[in-house]
Amino acid sequence: MDDAPMVGLMGRVTGTVGPGLVGEVIVRVRGGAEHFLAHPAPGTGRIEPGTVVMVVEYLPPRTVYVTGAYDG
């Protein structure tokens, strides 16, 4: 995935992300949509399915840290 930077991409939660949980998000990348295991970014609480998120850290090959895209 080196050809497609992940940080800053938007996705949608498909499995609850939260402290102590390994959730799941779907992210549009490389001309398609792919699922990634997801953890909340530090200081981020529970993120429910359907929430739009932004990738803030990527750990190859399939793990991302996310935060709510529209958090104030």
Side-chain angles (χ1 to χ4, degrees):
M1 296 208 125
D2 295 332
D3 60 333
M6 292 291 297
V7 174
L9 293 180
M10 305 293 256
R12 186 169 303 274
V13 175
T14 56
T16 302
V17 175
L21 300 174
V22 178
E24 184 182 64
V25 298
I26 189 167
V27 179
R28 295 194 62 79
V29 62
R30 296 187 298 159
E34 298 183 20
H35 288 266
F36 293 86
L37 298 177
H39 298 277
T44 303
R46 189 177 183 98
I47 307 172
E48 298 297 329
T51 304
V52 176
V53 293
M54 182 174 61
V55 175
V56 296
E57 187 175 349
Y58 170 58
L59 301 174
R62 311 278 325 151
T63 302
V64 293
Y65 283 77
V66 298
T67 187
Y70 303 113
D71 285 351

